Amino acid sequence: MPGRVSRRLLEVIASISWTADLDRYSVHAMARMVRQQGGLRTILSTRGGAQDSLLVEGVGTLTDRLAAELGARVRTGHRVTRLVRDEHGVTVHTDSGTFRAARTIVTVPPPVAARIEHHPPLPADRAALERNTHMGSVYKAIAVFERPFWRDRGRAEFLVLDSPGRAVFDTGSPGGPGHLCTLVAGPEARALDGLDAEERRQVLLAPLVSHLGPGVLKPAGWHEKAWHLDEHAGGGYVVLPEPGTTEGISPLPHTPLGPVHWAGTETADEHAGYLEGAIASGVRAAREVVDALAAGAPR
């Protein structure tokens, strides 16, 4: 790419889109993902694209309400350490007890699922999938303002090329407070880990003053998370293949292994890496379980 600015623009777009270290992400894998996710325009667009809509109360509302309906059957804080398959079903070993089930669904991405021991051992193709994939690095921050004052002068959507390269979106609800969401990915996301919250806020908001005015430096609230530091998520947003391998290119294979089924956004035929892909994979895996039980498959 001959132009320095053009090259930097592509670096930021690729980094934000797949959270990858670009020296660890092949052109082959990127080209496959661009096609599988509908093209760069779809990936980046906030109108008619992948970033078009948000849930007003947040996506966590979905899981909270589903969990409320299920009550005590939802058990948190049970780290799964081992899955033992037999002709009658599966025994789920956790660090706080064991559970018996006819079928089980593993929804965490392969690099995180690799921490689970399997007996009998996983077949070679599944073991390779867990071994040859990794999660990207991504930092997310939301600055909260009493009102979305920037809407008085226009939209607040930016790709900032200065380091750390980042994307900024207006994620406030139509009638609620103002939210500015910032995403930083790859090595530049990890570089933010060494700063304190006040320093990160200043670094991320200061370049927006010339576009949105000095009020952007005084949010009423500041929420942030480095997803690559979350041991349960492992990073975000989607599984990445190690260079020279193809196991991690979406959609990932999800053929059940006896009573063990596989879900997760990476296994979706469409919208891998997005909420839509996660929901579609859950519906598909649930249907597999229902069909297997109805057919009298070994429990």
Side-chain angles (χ1 to χ4, degrees):
M1 179 60 64
R4 185 164 59 95
V5 174
S6 299
R7 180 183 179 89
R8 177 58 175 165
L9 175 61
L10 286 178
E11 288 176 349
V12 173
I13 289 175
S15 179
I16 295 298
S17 297
W18 298 291
T19 71
D21 287 28
L22 299 186
D23 59 355
R24 197 181 175 188
Y25 194 48
S26 71
V27 172
H28 172 70
M30 182 184 70
R32 288 277 300 274
M33 287 296 290
V34 168
R35 175 181 291 182
Q36 204 268 340
Q37 293 178 327
L40 275 178
R41 184 180 296 276
T42 297
I43 291 171
L44 296 174
S45 292
T46 55
R47 182 172 296 172
Q51 317 299 328
D52 182 86
S53 302
L54 294 168
L55 295 176
V56 171
E57 296 181 23
V59 67
T61 303
L62 289 178
T63 53
D64 289 344
R65 292 182 179 177
L66 287 170
E69 290 182 14
L70 293 169
R73 287 175 288 179
V74 176
R75 305 196 182 197
T76 60
H78 291 67
R79 183 193 303 269
V80 176
T81 58
R82 192 181 193 204
L83 295 178
V84 179
R85 310 184 307 278
D86 57 45
E87 65 272 21
H88 301 296
V90 59
T91 302
V92 181
H93 294 260
T94 77
D95 56 9
S96 53
T98 61
F99 303 88
R100 185 68 185 170
R103 323 289 293 187
T104 188
I105 301 174
V106 178
T107 64
V108 292
V112 180
R115 303 169 193 165
I116 302 173
E117 179 185 352
H118 288 261
H119 183 78
L122 292 172
D125 57 347
R126 182 70 199 185
L129 177 62
E130 295 186 354
R131 181 177 63 250
N132 292 332
T133 54
H134 66 281
M135 302 299 291
S137 301
V138 61
Y139 165 90
K140 182 178 184 178
I142 296 179
V144 182
F145 301 85
E146 291 185 1
R147 57 180 295 271
F149 58 86
W150 51 85
R151 294 179 187 170
D152 297 339
R153 60 171 72 186
R155 301 169 68 180
E157 297 173 6
F158 304 95
L159 282 175
V160 180
L161 304 188
D162 294 340
S163 183
R166 54 203 180 274
V168 181
F169 298 98
D170 175 356
T171 57
S173 58
H179 289 177
L180 282 182
C181 174
T182 298
L183 294 170
V184 183
E188 295 180 352
R190 296 193 299 275
L192 293 173
D193 297 340
L195 307 178
D196 62 35
E198 178 59 34
E199 290 173 325
R200 284 190 292 269
R201 187 172 71 179
Q202 181 66 24
V203 164
L204 296 175
L205 295 183
L208 303 181
V209 170
S210 59
H211 302 282
L212 303 180
V216 76
L217 295 177
K218 299 178 180 179
W222 179 256
H223 305 275
E224 59 177 1
K225 180 162 183 170
W227 284 96
H228 50 279
L229 299 181
D230 186 313
E231 62 176 316
H232 303 296
Y237 327 106
V238 69
V239 165
L240 302 170
E242 293 290 356
T245 68
T246 58
E247 283 87 0
I249 298 177
S250 298
L252 302 189
H254 49 76
T255 301
L257 178 62
V260 177
H261 299 256
W262 314 99
T265 184
E266 299 86 7
T267 67
D269 292 331
E270 297 182 357
H271 306 297
Y274 296 96
L275 173 62
E276 292 87 348
I279 293 174
S281 79
V283 171
R284 186 260 309 154
R287 186 176 294 116
E288 289 175 356
V289 170
V290 171
D291 290 345
L293 294 177
R299 299 173 63 90

